[in-house]
Amino acid sequence: MVLSNSVAVWGTPAFAVTFAAEVQALGPSQLPLQAGLAHSSHVSAETTLTVLVMETAATATQLQVKAGVFYSGVIAGSCCSDDPTPVCEQPEYCTLRFEIDRETAITRVMLVDNDNA
C-alpha cells in the first residue's frame, strides 16, 4: 500500500482530509478490518469506510498515524436457508496504526487494541 498523496501534504492543514480519502479509496480488503470485528463475523462486501485521524507523529524516516475506522460487518450463517430476512449489517469500529515511509510512501498498517487505544 502506498499513500503518496498523504506524504506530499504532511504538515499542512490538508493532511487529515487527504489521508482519510486515500485510505477510504484503498477499500476494506487492504486493511486488517476482519481482525477488528467486535459485533459480527465478516466484513461486509458492501461496506463504506469512514476514516478519522486521531493522532499523528513523525520520525526522521516515517510518518505515524493513528486512525479510527468505521465500517460494517455481517453475521454469517445466522439465518436458516428458508429465512427471507435480509442480512443486516452491523456497525463496526477499530483503531489502526499506519507507518508511512517518508521517501517511498510505502505504508504498513496494523490493528491497535481498542482497549488500549
Side-chain angles (χ1 to χ4, degrees), residues 5-57:
N5 293 338
S6 296
V7 171
V9 297
W10 175 256
T12 72
F15 177 78
V17 171
T18 302
F19 174 84
E22 250 184 328
V23 172
Q24 286 168 270
L26 292 172
S29 64
Q30 293 197 40
L31 301 171
L33 301 179
Q34 183 69 32
L37 292 171
H39 307 290
S40 51
S41 58
H42 295 288
V43 175
S44 171
E46 305 296 318
T47 195
T48 301
L49 303 178
T50 300
V51 178
L52 206 57
V53 174
M54 299 164 61
E55 293 178 15
T56 60

Side-chain angles (χ1 to χ4, degrees), residues 85-99:
T85 309
V87 175
C88 295
E89 292 188 344
Q90 301 293 316
E92 293 284 354
Y93 171 85
C94 68
T95 305
L96 301 177
R97 177 183 166 90
F98 295 81
E99 295 176 348

